[in-house]
Amino acid sequence: MLTLTANAAQAIRDLTASAPDAAQSGIRISSQGENATSLTLSLATAPEPADAIVETEGARVYLDPVAATVLDDKALDAGADDQGSVSFLVTDQSGGYDT
């Protein structure tokens, strides 16, 4: 399942803090069409019926079925530039194991 870094959780909480229903609001990652060639990220007030839900430290990410499969072994990180614009980055999960 997708994991969130502390930076990503904070960025999501900041983005959804002013939403009408902040308790259910989060970000939604969804696919474009039937394949995973393109994923989009948007603010969401609640999950769609088929969405997988990832919640970390009060931050919620809703994943449509294709995005949930594609991001199953990934981590979501976030950062801000000098102007305060937030960007999200998908990385491989670090398992901490050497093979």
Side-chain angles (χ1 to χ4, degrees):
M1 180 65 70
L2 178 73
T3 60
L4 306 180
T5 66
N7 288 341
Q10 183 61 53
I12 294 166
R13 285 194 307 272
D14 290 348
L15 288 170
T16 59
S18 62
D21 186 3
Q24 290 297 312
S25 294
I27 62 169
R28 184 165 193 267
I29 302 175
S30 56
S31 60
Q32 297 296 318
E34 292 296 319
N35 59 44
T37 58
S38 179
L39 297 175
T40 60
L41 185 145
S42 59
L43 290 174
T45 56
E48 296 293 323
D51 284 353
I53 301 170
V54 176
E55 186 167 356
T56 302
E57 300 174 12
R60 285 162 299 285
V61 177
Y62 306 127
L63 302 164
D64 80 1
V66 173
T69 299
V70 170
L71 300 174
D72 184 54
D73 61 346
K74 305 296 183 196
L76 186 66
D77 196 6
D81 64 17
D82 293 339
Q83 289 77 38
S85 296
V86 174
S87 61
F88 289 95
L89 175 67
V90 175
T91 62
D92 289 329
Q93 290 180 0
S94 57
Y97 299 105
D98 292 331
T99 56

